[in-house]
Amino acid sequence: MIVSETLAAVLRSGRETFNSQFAQARRQYPALDVVSFSAFLVAVVDPLVRAVAQMRPEQVAEVTMHAYETGLTLAGQRLVGSGARYPEISDGLCRIGVAAPTLFAEAPGVMLASVSNALHTLASTPGGRAAEWIEEMVRLANVATGSAEFLRAGQIVAWRSGLAHYRTGALSVGDTLPEKVALAAIGANNGATWTGVRDRLAADPWHTPGNVASSLRIVGRAGAFRGYGGLFTEPPQVAPYGDDFMVRSAGEYWLLTANAFGATFHRAAEAEWRSVSGQPPVPPSLKIQRGKVTWQNASVDLPLRGEISSAAANATTLALSSTTSHSIWLIALGVAK
Amino acid sequence: MPIFDIFQRVSAAPTNPQPQARARVFDVADLYRGPVAEAPDQTAEGALPLDEKLRQAYFWIVNTAIISPHYDIEYHEPPPQSFVLGDSRSRLTLPSAQSYSSFVLMPLLTFATRRKCLFTGGPGRGKTASALLMGVLAGYPVREVRRAMVHGHPQMTIADLLGNPLPADLVAAQNMDAIRIAWRRWLSLRVKIVDEYNRIPTRTQSALLTVMGDNYAELLDHIHECPEAAWFLTANDDLGGGTYPVIEALRDRIDVVVQALAFNSRFLEDLLTRIEENIRPEEVVPRQIVFSEAELDRAQQEIRAVELPAPVRRRLEFFTSQFEFCESAGEQFEYKTKDTVRLAGVEWHTITAQETGRDRLKDLGCQTRNGFSVRVLMTLILYAKAIAYFRGNSTVELEDLRQILPFVLHDKLTADPDAPFFEQQDNAVYRTDRVGWLRKLWDLSCADYDRLNLDKDDPVGELSEEFQRGLEGLTESEVNRRITRIERVIAEWAKGRKLYGHLYDDLLKLKYLHQRYTNYLRWLKTQ
C-alpha cells in the first residue's frame, strides 16, 4: 500500500488504535476485507488527507480518524473496495473530498457520513444519478461557505439528480439558503431570483429552470422489465394517488413520484392500491383515443405500442401503461396560463 | 465509546416493519441517512416509539447478551415450510414472519407490564443473568442490581428478607413506633429479583407473599410501601426439587413461567468471543435501550390501550369455559365445578370414575384437574396485549393469544395425566411438554369453536348483546319475549345435548340474564 507521507505519518502515530479499530470492525463486519479497505485508504483517504493538509494542516489527524472509521464501515458492508456494490461511493468521496477539503476539515464526521450516505442513497435508488450529483457537488464546493450550507444545497442537487420524491423538501431547503447558493444548486442562471424560480417549480413539476415549455407534451418513461434492471415482471397498471401514482405489477405495488428531474418508485402495500381503486382515473375532458391524447385544445401523439391498459391523471400529469410495455409513459398536461 | 463495539450495537429501527399503509411523507433529510452512522448515540428520550425501543432491547439481548437462538414463539404470514424428522415424526417449522425466543421475550414483556416472571431450568443457563439484565434495563447500575438481588437459602429469615430493626432502638424504644427499621434495598427497586425462591423457608415465603401480592412489607408493626415493580424469580427445579415446597398462594402470584432452553453447541464461538473480550453483557447494556420510570409508565398505558377485539375475546371465553366444569362435583348447578372437588378434598380419580356419558377424549375439560382464576384471565389478557404491542400492533390477534397462553397457564392449569387424551399414542409427549400441550388445548378449543360455528350461531351472545343495550324503557311484553327466548334456548339444549364446559358457562349466563329480566319485570309491575 503506497500512500502519501502525510497519511502514513498519522497512521503510524496511532498505529495501535487504528489496528484495534480494524479488529473490532472485523468482528462487526466479518466481510471486511484488508485489500478492499487498503484500496479505500489509497483511493479516497489519501487524496482527501493531502488536500486537507494543504488547506487546514491542523485538521489532518481528525480527518484521517473519521475517514478511517468511515472506510471500515463502508468496506465492511462491501460498499467500497474491490467488488463494491456501489463504486460511486468511493468515486464521489474522493472527488468531492478533493474539491472541498476545507468543508471536510470543518466537520469531518458529518461530512464523511453525509456524503457517503447521500452517494449510497443515490446509487441504490433506481433512477438516482449519482454521477450527476458528484459533478454538481464539486461545482458547489466553491459556492457554499460552510459544510452545513453545502449539505443543504446537496439536498436540492439530489432532487435534480433523479430523486424526484424530494421535490417538496428540496424547495423548502432552498428557502433557507443564500440566494446565490440556492440558484446554483437548482441550476438557474445568476440573473434569476430564487423566489421566481421557486414559484415556477412549485407550480409545475415539469418545469426546469431556463426551460419555457409548458404545454401538453410527453415528458418521459418510468420503469422497465426486471430482466433489464427494472422493477416489473409484467406490464404495470397505474392509478392516481394524490400528486403521485400507484402502480401494480404481478401482485406487487409501488408509489411512483415523477417530475422534471426524474421518477422514483417506492414499495407500497396492497391496501394503498385498494384505497385508490374506484377513483376516476382521468378527468372526463381528457381524451385518449386512437393513439392520441387531447387536453384543453392541445393534442399529442402517443408512441405506445399495444393497447392502453390503464391511465391515471392528476392536475399536472397523465400516466399511461400499455399491454405490451413494462414502462409507464408520462405526459405533462401543461400549466394553465 | 468505540464505534465498532459489537456489544453496543442496537438494531436499527424499524425492527418489525409493518406491511400496512403508511403516511407517505418523504423527508429530504433521508438523503444523508444510510450505512454510515454519523451519530450512533440516539439517547433523546421519546425519540423512538416505546414498542420500537422494546424490540430494540429484545434484539440487543438475543443478539448480544443471552445466547438464545430459539424461536419457539412462532408467527407466520404466508404458510410456513415445515419438515418431519426422525422416528417420532417430529415437526420442524421454519417461521415465515418475525418470531421470538420465549426465554427473552417473556421477561421483557414482564418488565414492560411490571408483572411477575419465573425462570425455570437447570443451573448455568442464564436465568439469573436474564433477571439482572432486566434490572439494568430499568436504569439501575449493575452493581446495585446485583447487591439488591435476594438469594434464597434454607436459613433465610424474615429479617434477612425484609430488614432489621435498628439495635439501638430495640434497647431504647418505649414503644414499637420508636423502633426504626433498616429496610432492605431491594424493596425499593422497580425491578425485584429473587434468586432460587424455592430454597426460601416456608415462613419467610409468607412474608415474601405479602410483598408480592400486596406490594408492602411489614415488620414490627412498621409498613414499607414498595413501588410498582417487575418481579423476576428463578428456580432450578420448580416441581419439587427446591429445599422447601413453594406455598400455593406464592406460586399463584407468578404471572408467567419461562423455561431456560438448552445451550446450542453451535454457538460456542459466541461464548469464546465473550471470554476473549472479557465481557459481561449486563455491564455493557447500551444506553439507548434503558427505560426511565416515566417511559415504563407510558409503555404500560399504551399496552393497556391495545384493543382486544370481540371475536378474539369470544374465543378466549370459549377456551376458558372448558375447564372448570365438573358434572359430578355438585348437585346444584353452580357447584358443578372442579373447585368444589378440590375444596372437598376428594380423591380426583373417584370423581372421574363417576363421569359418564360424555366423550372424555374429546372433552377438553377432562384433560385438567382445575380451571383457572380471574387473576389468570386478567394476566392472560394483559400479556396478549403486551405481545401485540411489542409486535407493533394496536389490536390483539388470535395468534398473540395462542403464543402467550402456554407461559401464563404453565403452572396454573394442572394436567390430569390419567386422562384418556394422554393415553393416545400421539399425545403421550404432552405429559412432558407442557407448553406444547397448552397450545394443543388452545388449537383443539378453536377447532371446536369453528365446528360449532359460534362466530355466526351464538344465541347466548345475541341475548347478551341485547341485554347490554340496557333495561331502560323496556316494555313488559318485550321483557316477557326475552325471558321466553331464554327459556326456549335452554329447553332446546336440554333435549339431547350432553353437558360440556362451554354449555355450562352459557347456561349460567342464561340463568343470570333470566334472573335480571325477572327482577326487572317484577319491578316493572309495581310501577
Side-chain angles (χ1 to χ4, degrees):
Chain A
M1 184 175 76
I2 301 165
V3 292
S4 65
E5 181 49 33
T6 313
L7 176 60
V10 180
L11 292 177
R12 261 199 311 274
S13 67
R15 185 176 194 155
E16 207 171 304
T17 309
F18 287 125
N19 284 344
S20 158
Q21 270 199 335
F22 185 88
Q24 285 188 337
R26 192 82 177 264
R27 269 196 292 277
Q28 184 169 331
Y29 304 114
L32 179 59
D33 168 39
V34 181
V35 177
S36 290
F37 180 63
S38 302
F40 180 82
L41 286 181
V42 173
V44 177
V45 181
D46 193 37
L48 170 65
V49 167
R50 275 187 282 135
V52 170
Q54 284 186 352
M55 308 296 290
R56 298 276 302 274
E58 77 284 3
Q59 280 295 92
V60 162
E62 183 80 6
V63 171
T64 304
M65 278 196 299
H66 283 285
Y68 190 91
E69 283 176 1
T70 304
L72 287 174
T73 306
L74 293 171
Q77 296 174 69
R78 292 186 180 151
L79 294 170
V80 295
S82 55
R85 281 185 283 154
Y86 303 116
E88 298 92 334
I89 297 178
S90 280
D91 181 40
L93 274 173
C94 175
R95 291 199 53 208
I96 298 168
V98 170
T102 50
L103 303 179
F104 278 81
E106 177 196 321
V110 174
M111 283 293 287
L112 280 156
S114 300
V115 172
S116 302
N117 290 338
L119 288 163
H120 180 262
T121 305
L122 281 150
S124 61
T125 305
R129 301 185 293 272
E132 198 174 309
W133 192 79
I134 296 167
E135 290 299 329
E136 286 297 305
M137 294 306 280
V138 167
R139 189 172 62 81
L140 280 173
N142 295 321
V143 182
T145 54
S147 59
E149 199 173 282
F150 179 74
L151 291 175
R152 286 209 304 279
Q155 291 173 324
I156 299 175
V157 177
W159 168 36
R160 284 181 59 210
S161 304
L163 304 189
H165 52 293
Y166 287 157
R167 175 171 171 256
T168 310
L171 286 174
S172 302
V173 165
D175 294 339
T176 68
L177 286 169
E179 187 160 54
K180 182 182 160 196
V181 181
L183 288 171
I186 203 67
N189 58 44
N190 279 335
T193 64
W194 168 249
T195 319
V197 172
R198 185 201 194 288
D199 289 349
R200 284 295 306 274
L201 288 166
D204 181 3
W206 297 104
H207 172 72
T208 52
N211 188 346
V212 291
S214 64
S215 57
L216 183 73
R217 62 198 186 281
I218 294 169
V219 282
R221 289 169 67 177
F225 177 53
R226 192 169 288 175
Y228 297 140
L231 294 169
F232 308 130
T233 52
E234 62 182 47
Q237 290 202 303
V238 287
Y241 191 78
D243 290 339
D244 303 314
F245 299 97
M246 227 3 106
V247 181
R248 180 177 71 177
S249 168
E252 296 182 299
Y253 304 89
W254 289 271
L255 177 85
L256 165 63
T257 59
N259 51 55
F261 296 123
T264 54
F265 290 90
H266 310 269
R267 279 276 177 193
E270 188 182 354
E272 286 174 293
W273 171 267
R274 278 205 306 268
S275 73
V276 296
S277 60
Q279 288 180 22
V282 294
S285 53
L286 179 66
K287 303 292 178 202
I288 309 163
Q289 286 170 331
R290 291 189 288 277
K292 185 177 276 196
V293 172
T294 309
W295 168 250
Q296 291 179 345
N297 303 323
S299 64
V300 64
D301 289 327
L302 295 172
L304 277 79
R305 287 182 188 169
E307 294 286 310
I308 289 174
S309 57
S310 65
N314 56 36
T316 57
T317 313
L318 168 67
L320 293 171
S321 66
S322 88
T323 51
T324 56
S325 169
H326 288 79
S327 296
I328 294 162
W329 286 85
L330 299 164
I331 293 126
L333 295 176
V335 178
K337 295 192 174 97
Chain B
M1 181 188 74
I3 66 160
F4 297 110
D5 188 342
I6 54 169
F7 294 99
Q8 289 284 322
R9 269 179 83 192
V10 174
S11 304
T15 46
N16 189 11
Q18 300 290 324
Q20 64 258 35
R22 296 149 291 177
R24 290 286 183 178
V25 179
F26 293 110
D27 184 357
V28 72
D30 287 344
L31 176 69
Y32 296 130
R33 297 192 182 108
V36 182
E38 179 204 319
D41 209 359
Q42 192 176 13
T43 52
E45 192 171 302
L48 280 177
L50 292 176
D51 61 310
E52 183 65 61
K53 188 167 175 174
L54 263 183
R55 283 194 296 278
Q56 286 188 331
Y58 170 85
F59 285 110
W60 181 81
I61 294 171
V62 289
N63 292 336
T64 312
I66 309 284
I67 303 169
S68 182
H70 306 285
Y71 294 97
D72 54 325
I73 295 184
E74 296 176 357
Y75 282 92
H76 308 294
E77 270 158 19
Q81 282 272 12
S82 67
F83 305 88
V84 174
L85 302 155
D87 294 336
S88 61
R89 304 189 59 72
S90 306
R91 184 169 293 278
L92 176 74
T93 305
L94 306 178
S96 56
Q98 194 171 89
S99 298
Y100 310 100
S101 163
S102 62
F103 185 65
V104 177
L105 183 58
M106 288 302 135
L108 202 59
L109 297 184
T110 302
F111 170 73
T113 52
R114 290 182 175 142
R115 306 294 283 202
K116 298 168 187 77
C117 173
L118 170 66
F119 293 102
T120 63
R125 296 191 178 207
K127 302 188 297 294
T128 312
S130 290
L132 260 175
L133 273 175
M134 297 300 140
V136 179
L137 285 186
Y140 295 111
V142 185
R143 189 175 293 174
E144 186 174 356
V145 181
R146 277 212 191 99
R147 286 177 183 169
M149 192 188 302
V150 176
H151 294 281
H153 61 84
Q155 281 78 41
M156 188 175 219
T157 62
I158 292 177
D160 290 338
L161 183 73
L162 302 181
N164 292 90
L166 294 179
D169 290 355
L170 274 180
V171 176
Q174 297 301 306
N175 56 52
M176 296 295 264
D177 289 345
I179 302 172
R180 285 170 296 169
I181 309 286
W183 297 103
R184 299 269 176 251
R185 172 76 183 114
W186 73 279
L187 292 169
S188 303
L189 297 193
R190 284 176 284 112
V191 169
K192 295 182 167 60
I193 303 172
V194 183
D195 203 19
E196 303 202 43
Y197 87 124
N198 53 348
R199 296 187 69 215
I200 298 175
T202 311
R203 187 159 172 267
T204 314
Q205 281 186 31
S206 299
L208 181 62
L209 173 65
T210 312
V211 187
M212 275 179 78
D214 301 322
N215 226 17
Y216 73 89
E218 187 177 2
L219 206 63
L220 298 175
D221 278 351
H222 287 261
I223 300 288
H224 177 83
E225 294 286 349
C226 304
E228 208 184 350
W231 286 69
F232 298 95
L233 303 99
T234 75
N236 282 344
D237 176 0
D238 195 41
L239 299 174
T243 313
Y244 291 93
V246 176
I247 56 176
E248 195 180 338
L250 191 63
R251 189 189 290 267
D252 193 52
R253 292 298 189 286
I254 291 166
D255 295 303
V256 287
V257 178
V258 64
Q259 183 188 342
L261 296 172
F263 181 76
N264 184 327
S265 58
R266 281 285 187 178
F267 291 82
L268 201 59
E269 191 185 356
D270 292 3
L271 282 184
L272 187 65
T273 306
R274 283 181 197 191
I275 293 165
E276 289 170 351
E277 295 286 326
N278 194 21
I279 286 288
R280 298 171 77 99
E282 64 271 19
E283 289 170 356
V284 292
V285 174
R287 278 190 298 150
Q288 302 100 293
I289 58 168
V290 170
F291 286 74
S292 67
E293 190 174 351
E295 282 181 312
L296 280 175
D297 288 342
R298 188 152 59 88
Q300 266 197 312
Q301 282 172 10
E302 289 173 2
I303 288 170
R304 285 178 197 280
V306 171
E307 186 198 356
L308 180 70
V312 178
R313 192 199 67 219
R314 185 67 199 98
R315 299 240 173 191
L316 179 60
E317 287 171 0
F318 183 77
F319 176 76
T320 309
S321 68
Q322 308 277 348
F323 303 107
E324 191 57 63
F325 176 60
C326 180
E327 193 166 3
S328 51
E331 192 273 326
Q332 195 180 337
F333 217 72
E334 280 77 2
Y335 291 89
K336 288 179 176 296
T337 64
K338 289 172 184 167
D339 211 36
T340 307
V341 177
R342 192 183 66 86
L343 290 170
V346 178
E347 291 283 330
W348 179 249
H349 64 87
T350 60
I351 294 294
T352 54
Q354 294 172 37
E355 296 271 325
T356 52
R358 283 184 297 152
D359 184 343
R360 285 180 45 78
L361 189 62
K362 283 193 177 164
D363 183 1
L364 301 184
C366 291
Q367 294 181 36
T368 74
R369 292 186 172 191
N370 63 343
F372 38 87
S373 63
V374 175
R375 186 170 24 239
V376 172
L377 270 174
M378 287 170 72
T379 306
L380 196 51
I381 290 170
L382 188 66
Y383 273 85
K385 285 176 176 241
I387 198 170
Y389 176 76
F390 176 81
R391 296 176 64 222
N393 296 335
S394 56
T395 54
V396 175
E397 293 172 2
L398 205 56
E399 193 60 25
D400 293 326
L401 262 182
R402 181 177 181 271
Q403 292 300 335
I404 214 77
L405 185 127
F407 304 99
V408 177
L409 299 186
H410 194 277
D411 272 9
K412 303 296 191 300
L413 211 52
T414 312
D416 178 6
D418 300 324
F421 173 82
F422 294 106
E423 302 294 336
Q424 300 262 305
Q425 195 185 352
D426 287 350
N427 298 337
V429 67
Y430 295 125
R431 284 197 174 111
T432 49
D433 178 8
R434 191 170 277 256
V435 170
W437 168 60
L438 289 163
R439 279 218 184 98
K440 180 78 176 174
L441 266 184
W442 172 260
D443 291 344
L444 289 171
S445 167
C446 285
D448 214 23
Y449 183 91
D450 290 334
R451 183 183 61 79
L452 294 168
N453 195 26
L454 286 176
D455 268 337
K456 289 178 181 157
D457 180 17
D458 181 16
V460 181
E462 289 163 20
L463 284 162
S464 303
E465 207 174 296
E466 209 170 46
F467 179 75
Q468 286 294 328
R469 290 199 282 270
L471 295 171
E472 195 69 33
L474 277 191
T475 60
E476 199 175 321
S477 63
E478 173 61 19
V479 175
N480 276 321
R481 187 193 66 76
R482 292 187 187 183
I483 287 176
T484 308
R485 191 177 170 206
I486 291 170
E487 289 167 355
R488 253 194 226 134
V489 171
I490 297 174
E492 184 66 26
W493 286 357
K495 274 182 192 166
R497 286 215 219 177
K498 298 192 185 305
L499 263 184
Y500 289 99
H502 64 93
L503 276 180
Y504 176 71
D505 269 14
D506 281 357
L507 286 163
L508 286 178
K509 179 72 188 261
L510 289 175
K511 183 176 175 182
Y512 164 82
L513 293 174
H514 191 276
Q515 177 60 30
R516 293 292 302 270
Y517 283 129
T518 304
N519 283 344
Y520 177 70
L521 192 62
R522 201 168 155 207
W523 173 80
L524 210 56
K525 282 178 177 167
T526 63
Q527 301 303 301

